[in-house]
Amino acid sequence: MSDNLPETTHGGDATLAHEPIPDPGLPEHQWRPTDVDPKAERRAERQVAGLFMLAILGAIGFIVSYIAFHVGDHPDTIGNLGASNLALGLCLAVTLLGMGAGMIQWARKLMGDHEIMEMRHPASSSQADREAAIAILQTGLEESGLGRRPLVRNTLLAAGGVLGLLPVIMLRDLGPLPGDKLDHTIWDIGTWTPEMQAWWKTQDRSLQRVVRDVVGTPIKVTDLEIGDLVNAEPEVLFAVDPDTKQLVVDGTDQLVDKAKAAVILHRMLPQDIVSQQTLNWSVDGIVCYSKICTHVGCPISLNERTTHHLLCPCHQSTFDLADAGKVLFGPAARPLPQLELTVDDEGYLAARRDFTQPVGPSFWERG
Ligand code: FES
């Protein structure tokens, strides 16, 4: 340490430590080719318009694909993506890519290019600053060339307009109206497809059994103890065509039918049943209800064994299984639909008929 220099807390030179750092200033401005060469400028303009044209073609391709392919067409296209998904996705990607790349190129090559220095200022802007901001916006608008470059402006407007059409044409998916499809489930044999009817003829029975969910085994009264709750389905969902060895109900149809027809079985002492109808539709204290909550359709299976209350996990609607599925608590507005049970000739639980009212949440066309 030199005797001539004052010491700092860091052991350095105090004079040097308090000297302001000189402002390095801005480097010399480099003009872009499009700023100095009119040919390069026109080339960039055509490039930007070309990208916006690409966006338009992508959007038109989207609309054509939407009309030409239906969901489920060519399901094995490229890794089981399906032709519809693949075409819609690719066309939308091309549209967004064209729009995005066009805007980036426009900003990089054609908009004003000069450095701006802005000093720090209080959070709220002064009137002068606001006026200056408006002036900057106006300058930006002029420099973007919207007025001078009708080709870029018009292709951008056309691309934006076609892009805006895409959600509009997809409104078609809101239709068609379901008709009476929500009024019935496959507990009603009369609504079955010819394949299901053909299988049913081979069974030589008149009542459809209530079988365990997942495994499809039929259920006898003695299989359930007091307090038990069992998830169940109509037996046709597990039917196998004897010739093809395939399920009679398969694919999307199976999922839709299963979602609507799902039920729960619950056994209680017959003397615990409150409602006369619930008693009439039960077998030895076993009652059967739709598993679909009448609020917004969650599957229900939280059971209080001793009170016979069934709780929906979504919003806590609580239904009384001893009293016609009455709502005891929560936002559900309608009782849980009950399925009329009986036993067939071999002693298995079976449905006497379909639900007498639509299952699940309310809908506009509900009678
Ligand atoms: S879906 Fe069951 S309470 Fe809301």
Side-chain angles (χ1 to χ4, degrees), residues 293 295-298 312 314-317 331-332:
C293 182
H295 179 219
V296 288
C298 283
C312 176
C314 290
H315 314 100
Q316 285 71 54
S317 285

PDB file of all heavy atoms in Angstrom, residues 293 295-298 312 314-317 331-332, ligand 1:
ATOM      1  N   CYS A 293     -74.684 -37.405 -11.670  1.00  0.00           N
ATOM      2  CA  CYS A 293     -75.259 -36.345 -10.838  1.00  0.00           C
ATOM      3  C   CYS A 293     -76.165 -35.438 -11.675  1.00  0.00           C
ATOM      4  O   CYS A 293     -75.832 -35.085 -12.815  1.00  0.00           O
ATOM      5  CB  CYS A 293     -74.135 -35.528 -10.207  1.00  0.00           C
ATOM      6  SG  CYS A 293     -74.721 -34.229  -9.113  1.00  0.00           S
ATOM      7  N   HIS A 295     -76.716 -32.419 -11.165  1.00  0.00           N
ATOM      8  CA  HIS A 295     -76.231 -31.036 -11.194  1.00  0.00           C
ATOM      9  C   HIS A 295     -75.519 -30.803 -12.525  1.00  0.00           C
ATOM     10  O   HIS A 295     -76.131 -30.313 -13.460  1.00  0.00           O
ATOM     11  CB  HIS A 295     -75.306 -30.764  -9.990  1.00  0.00           C
ATOM     12  CG  HIS A 295     -74.752 -29.374  -9.986  1.00  0.00           C
ATOM     13  ND1 HIS A 295     -73.470 -29.085  -9.606  1.00  0.00           N
ATOM     14  CD2 HIS A 295     -75.321 -28.206 -10.348  1.00  0.00           C
ATOM     15  CE1 HIS A 295     -73.277 -27.787  -9.720  1.00  0.00           C
ATOM     16  NE2 HIS A 295     -74.372 -27.226 -10.172  1.00  0.00           N
ATOM     17  N   VAL A 296     -74.229 -31.164 -12.632  1.00  0.00           N
ATOM     18  CA  VAL A 296     -73.567 -31.030 -13.928  1.00  0.00           C
ATOM     19  C   VAL A 296     -72.933 -32.337 -14.388  1.00  0.00           C
ATOM     20  O   VAL A 296     -72.033 -32.327 -15.230  1.00  0.00           O
ATOM     21  CB  VAL A 296     -72.535 -29.883 -13.956  1.00  0.00           C
ATOM     22  CG1 VAL A 296     -73.224 -28.544 -13.942  1.00  0.00           C
ATOM     23  CG2 VAL A 296     -71.538 -29.971 -12.825  1.00  0.00           C
ATOM     24  N   GLY A 297     -73.405 -33.465 -13.865  1.00  0.00           N
ATOM     25  CA  GLY A 297     -73.067 -34.745 -14.489  1.00  0.00           C
ATOM     26  C   GLY A 297     -71.847 -35.475 -13.981  1.00  0.00           C
ATOM     27  O   GLY A 297     -71.354 -36.367 -14.660  1.00  0.00           O
ATOM     28  N   CYS A 298     -71.339 -35.150 -12.793  1.00  0.00           N
ATOM     29  CA  CYS A 298     -70.216 -35.932 -12.262  1.00  0.00           C
ATOM     30  C   CYS A 298     -70.700 -37.340 -11.902  1.00  0.00           C
ATOM     31  O   CYS A 298     -71.853 -37.518 -11.516  1.00  0.00           O
ATOM     32  CB  CYS A 298     -69.654 -35.286 -11.000  1.00  0.00           C
ATOM     33  SG  CYS A 298     -68.635 -33.860 -11.322  1.00  0.00           S
ATOM     34  N   CYS A 312     -72.163 -36.403  -3.998  1.00  0.00           N
ATOM     35  CA  CYS A 312     -71.414 -36.132  -5.233  1.00  0.00           C
ATOM     36  C   CYS A 312     -70.105 -35.417  -4.862  1.00  0.00           C
ATOM     37  O   CYS A 312     -70.138 -34.402  -4.166  1.00  0.00           O
ATOM     38  CB  CYS A 312     -72.238 -35.264  -6.180  1.00  0.00           C
ATOM     39  SG  CYS A 312     -71.314 -34.813  -7.658  1.00  0.00           S
ATOM     40  N   CYS A 314     -68.169 -33.599  -6.588  1.00  0.00           N
ATOM     41  CA  CYS A 314     -67.846 -32.350  -7.294  1.00  0.00           C
ATOM     42  C   CYS A 314     -68.302 -31.121  -6.520  1.00  0.00           C
ATOM     43  O   CYS A 314     -67.516 -30.214  -6.266  1.00  0.00           O
ATOM     44  CB  CYS A 314     -68.459 -32.360  -8.679  1.00  0.00           C
ATOM     45  SG  CYS A 314     -67.627 -33.534  -9.745  1.00  0.00           S
ATOM     46  N   HIS A 315     -69.593 -31.061  -6.153  1.00  0.00           N
ATOM     47  CA  HIS A 315     -70.095 -29.870  -5.444  1.00  0.00           C
ATOM     48  C   HIS A 315     -70.961 -30.261  -4.250  1.00  0.00           C
ATOM     49  O   HIS A 315     -71.821 -29.505  -3.823  1.00  0.00           O
ATOM     50  CB  HIS A 315     -70.874 -28.963  -6.403  1.00  0.00           C
ATOM     51  CG  HIS A 315     -70.179 -28.746  -7.708  1.00  0.00           C
ATOM     52  ND1 HIS A 315     -70.499 -29.419  -8.852  1.00  0.00           N
ATOM     53  CD2 HIS A 315     -69.133 -27.963  -8.030  1.00  0.00           C
ATOM     54  CE1 HIS A 315     -69.709 -29.063  -9.847  1.00  0.00           C
ATOM     55  NE2 HIS A 315     -68.859 -28.182  -9.369  1.00  0.00           N
ATOM     56  N   GLN A 316     -70.769 -31.476  -3.791  1.00  0.00           N
ATOM     57  CA  GLN A 316     -71.387 -31.962  -2.547  1.00  0.00           C
ATOM     58  C   GLN A 316     -72.913 -32.081  -2.583  1.00  0.00           C
ATOM     59  O   GLN A 316     -73.564 -32.028  -1.538  1.00  0.00           O
ATOM     60  CB  GLN A 316     -70.979 -31.103  -1.336  1.00  0.00           C
ATOM     61  CG  GLN A 316     -69.550 -31.360  -0.863  1.00  0.00           C
ATOM     62  CD  GLN A 316     -68.513 -30.829  -1.806  1.00  0.00           C
ATOM     63  OE1 GLN A 316     -68.556 -29.662  -2.148  1.00  0.00           O
ATOM     64  NE2 GLN A 316     -67.603 -31.658  -2.255  1.00  0.00           N
ATOM     65  N   SER A 317     -73.519 -32.213  -3.727  1.00  0.00           N
ATOM     66  CA  SER A 317     -74.953 -32.526  -3.729  1.00  0.00           C
ATOM     67  C   SER A 317     -75.130 -33.882  -3.051  1.00  0.00           C
ATOM     68  O   SER A 317     -74.350 -34.807  -3.287  1.00  0.00           O
ATOM     69  CB  SER A 317     -75.499 -32.598  -5.158  1.00  0.00           C
ATOM     70  OG  SER A 317     -75.624 -31.313  -5.687  1.00  0.00           O
ATOM     71  N   PRO A 331     -76.226 -28.138  -4.852  1.00  0.00           N
ATOM     72  CA  PRO A 331     -76.797 -27.389  -5.972  1.00  0.00           C
ATOM     73  C   PRO A 331     -77.665 -28.202  -6.929  1.00  0.00           C
ATOM     74  O   PRO A 331     -78.308 -27.620  -7.799  1.00  0.00           O
ATOM     75  CB  PRO A 331     -75.553 -26.881  -6.703  1.00  0.00           C
ATOM     76  CG  PRO A 331     -74.505 -27.897  -6.395  1.00  0.00           C
ATOM     77  CD  PRO A 331     -74.792 -28.412  -5.026  1.00  0.00           C
ATOM     78  N   ALA A 332     -77.694 -29.528  -6.827  1.00  0.00           N
ATOM     79  CA  ALA A 332     -78.521 -30.313  -7.762  1.00  0.00           C
ATOM     80  C   ALA A 332     -79.983 -29.923  -7.590  1.00  0.00           C
ATOM     81  O   ALA A 332     -80.462 -29.726  -6.464  1.00  0.00           O
ATOM     82  CB  ALA A 332     -78.326 -31.803  -7.511  1.00  0.00           C
TER      83      ALA A 332
HETATM   84  S1  FES B   1     -71.895 -32.301 -10.337  1.00  0.00           S
HETATM   85 FE1  FES B   1     -72.660 -33.180  -8.575  1.00  0.00          FE
HETATM   86  S2  FES B   1     -72.931 -31.568  -7.236  1.00  0.00           S
HETATM   87 FE2  FES B   1     -72.175 -30.634  -9.010  1.00  0.00          FE
END
